[in-house]
Amino acid sequence: MADRFKEWRREAGRGQHQEEFFVSLLVALSLGIAAGRFFPVIPVMPGMVLLGCLIVWAAWSIYRSSMQVWPVFLLAVFCLGLLRLQTSLLLPVDDLSHFAGQELQVEGKMAEEPQVREHSDGSRSVRYCIQAEAVTLSGSGTQHASGRLYVYARSPKDRAPVLPQIGDSLTAHGSLRLPHGIHNPGQIDTELLLRSQGITAVLIAGKSGAAVKALNDSGASVWTRLLRRLAVVREHYLSSMQAVMPKEDAAAIFAMLFGGYQGLKSELLEAFTITGIVHILSVSGSHISLLAAVMAWLGSFFRLPQLVRAMLVVLAIAAYSLLAGLVPPVIRSALMGGLSFLALALNREKDARRLLLLTGLLMLTVSPLLLFHISFQLSFAATAGLLYVAPVVRARLRRMHVPSSLAAGLSITFAAQAATLPILAWYFNQLSLSSFLANLVVVPIVEFIIIVGIAAGVAAFVLPFAGKLAYAGDSLLLGAVYELTSWMASLPGSRVWIPSFSWGAVLIYYAALSLFACKEPWRHRILDGLYARKACLAAVCALFLAAGTGYRLSQADLMTLAAIDCGQGDALLLRTPHGKTVLFDSGGERDGNEPGAFNTGQRVILPYLRHYGIHELNAIFLTHAHADHAGGAGAVLRTMPVGRVYTADEGRGAYAQSMGIGSADALLQKLQPAQEGQSFDLDGVRIEVVFAPPSSGKGAASGNEASNVYRIVYGGASFLITGDLTKEKEEMILKKGNDIRCTVLKVGHHGSNTSSSEAFLQAAAPRYAVICVGAGNRFGHPKPEVLERLKGLGIKILRTDQNGEIVFFTNGKTIRARTYLD
């Protein structure tokens, strides 16, 4: 085995094994980029000198045909990735992000088309993406600024929103903030995602909204005029669809053609998600490959020369990419899908794999932040699966006498799922078993809808009636697609939970998948080598198994309480030593319970529970009915089994409104008011209802005044959860003499000065104070005077806006805290 490895290295030094070399370079570059987030910042000049020395060393190794070529190249590329990541995070001194936290006026040019969302009250929210040119600060005059930002403005129902064109000037006044996402395990990193798109700041426009100064076409650049024309063409597609089909159908087909989820029916989106074909609603490599396949078929039908067919495919991909807006996901898809298809169409499968690797190297070198972008991760992994894994699976199915067309469909679906499994597990914790059926039955119909949709838009320019007829047919097919996907989504086992992979598990998984996909001779060599060392491997496996078992036994008596980062809202998860789970509050809705709103229960709480393998809750305790405490419970109740739901004495109607469920929904039967003095025991963990104000004679109590207080006790550790308890109610608790001593205090009302009086804090005497709060919230929480009060008492402060998820581990004797961002 050692001799074979030396011979392999000699061959590599002579320029052989190019594909393996590119794979190793891509891995080294990715590791370098990932390491760049944790390494101390390296000054640019010393870093460039180090990289230059490594390149010279590599060149000398090539000249000498040395066996050092490969490792030196890998080290150089690792350093390149590390430096590229760190330099990409550097911003110019005049970048907008340096003005965060201030009220100011921003002027800039529209970089993208505005995105409009209608609300149930008739008002509209508009998101503008602008390239900043200048900022005006109060008392400081106007100064130059750079960087891209999102501007959010809301128009009342009696006034149409301002919808500028690309290139128009836009001026907006408001509060500038840094982008901030949700920081829990498995959650998409919003800051890095926006940063990879060049977005470094967000501005919330005031009541005056945004002012637009139109740019005439005569004064616009050629590129701006082209982008405007393309926007007009896309609008033509949308308006042509809306003229002959329901608005939601038009939104769905438009999304299939050009990407986006604007105006989609939530049921359709959920059905596509469950059946694993939601990617069809955003421009991806599959769109590019489909278009390329159709153009290649047309070329073959008309018996065009191979070179002409290739040029036709390239031109079609370029035209479609332009029409789709040339946004980064489209460019990535065009590069990866287009190049790979061309190589495969020309019977150059090996070249297709090299092109994919080179494209990945180029894209990550130019834009290293793509490594952290879920779109890039899924696109690259799926394409790699199609090129490396699918041929092996298809060949094995053919040997089992599976029909060619069925073998092709099954191999593609399996390869894409297998290659993206760890990514899907980390972000979504579910695998769609119905995707095999959906890809075989539904996807061909959707692909037909896409091709007809593109052709209908072209036809509508020349023969409007023909275009309308084609769109009407598309609408009928979409109805069939919706019925099919809804049926498949309802099948037993249509989606299954999968645990998040640890880094070690990810490495083992991809090593096994690579072994499965590698060439037959190499597979046999590797397996023979592993078999020859079976005793050593068995010992290593036994060692890891013993270490894992020992670790689990050491954690057997641990109770955990986690403060989930859900923005401006409260949500805490209790897990007992034997795995029972209780949720205290559940976050809320950012924009109410209307369609399209950010549903915290659906988007934060449920993914968090799935990430930790939680499929049912023993109970939910809600402090009061405000949406930022109870709003997410509706999605949880609709999705997983829950025991009882204990509430404040506000009446079920208040909770139904916050949760977004009907007043007659059977789920409300689970709700019952908690009674002061009640206690519940779960695995030796005691939950006490310390305070529960009863309804007054005039009716049920409501709002912050109604907040219940819960205390969790496990051995010598205790946790006090206060909701939005006011100072007046704190004083009432102190007069009653209720036991509020705690190790950890969930600070009342997100750190507002309406809570957390000095006397209450002294009586509770916590070691830790947890503040559940949204970054840059409009309320100014937590208030400086509350923070000073906590610091003055020597209490350690942890905040979800700064620390992300906060988890406390205790065995009843000792306690430790772990935060997601530290």
Side-chain angles (χ1 to χ4, degrees), residues 485-712:
T485 51
S486 297
W487 172 72
M488 291 176 187
S490 65
L491 292 173
S494 59
R495 57 179 172 180
V496 295
W497 173 81
I498 47 175
S500 299
F501 288 32
S502 65
W503 285 112
V506 170
L507 291 175
I508 293 171
Y509 177 84
Y510 278 121
L513 190 62
S514 300
L515 181 63
F516 173 80
C518 74
K519 300 169 187 175
E520 199 74 29
W522 280 106
R523 188 184 307 121
H524 287 306
R525 288 183 187 179
I526 294 169
L527 291 175
D528 288 346
L530 292 174
Y531 184 77
R533 292 161 178 79
K534 57 181 181 296
C536 181
L537 285 174
V540 171
C541 290
L543 182 63
F544 276 107
L545 182 62
T549 303
Y551 175 77
R552 288 195 173 275
L553 289 174
S554 70
Q555 307 293 303
D557 62 344
L558 281 185
M559 184 211 89
T560 66
L561 183 72
I564 305 168
D565 181 10
C566 59
Q568 185 69 10
D570 283 11
L572 299 100
L573 178 69
L574 166 69
R575 283 180 289 174
T576 69
H578 297 295
K580 293 183 179 178
T581 52
V582 177
L583 188 65
F584 291 86
D585 283 342
S586 57
E589 314 300 330
R590 289 185 182 175
D591 301 299
N593 290 310
E594 59 186 44
F598 184 96
N599 186 304
T600 304
Q602 194 72 41
R603 302 277 294 277
V604 179
I605 307 300
L606 284 171
Y608 184 88
L609 297 175
R610 291 190 187 111
H611 183 84
Y612 286 109
I614 298 169
H615 307 295
E616 63 177 301
L617 293 170
N618 293 87
I620 296 177
F621 286 82
L622 300 175
T623 57
H624 63 297
H626 278 176
D628 58 338
H629 292 257
V636 176
L637 286 168
R638 284 191 293 266
T639 306
M640 64 172 55
V642 176
R644 300 296 298 180
V645 181
Y646 298 94
T647 69
D649 194 9
E650 298 171 275
R652 287 178 176 173
Y655 288 93
Q657 184 176 3
S658 287
M659 295 177 189
I661 58 180
S663 57
D665 197 306
L667 290 173
L668 292 176
Q669 300 303 315
K670 290 181 176 288
L671 276 61
Q672 70 177 57
Q675 302 298 317
E676 189 170 318
Q678 276 185 299
S679 66
F680 309 85
D681 187 83
L682 290 172
D683 291 344
V685 178
R686 189 169 73 255
I687 301 171
E688 302 171 350
V689 184
V690 174
F691 183 66
S695 60
S696 64
K698 298 178 181 178
S702 62
N704 298 340
E705 294 289 327
S707 282
N708 287 352
V709 176
Y710 304 112
R711 184 168 179 256
I712 304 165

Side-chain angles (χ1 to χ4, degrees), residues 388-444:
Y388 285 93
V389 181
V392 178
V393 177
R394 184 165 57 248
R396 294 194 177 192
L397 289 174
R398 292 296 293 130
R399 285 199 294 269
M400 296 166 62
H401 306 294
V402 175
S404 180
S405 57
L406 182 59
L410 288 173
S411 63
I412 288 172
T413 303
F414 175 82
Q417 293 269 22
T420 57
L421 183 62
I423 303 170
L424 295 172
W426 179 256
Y427 290 114
F428 307 111
N429 292 110
Q430 62 184 31
L431 180 66
S432 175
L433 296 182
S434 57
S435 65
F436 290 94
L437 185 58
N439 275 280
L440 289 173
V441 178
V442 177
V443 169

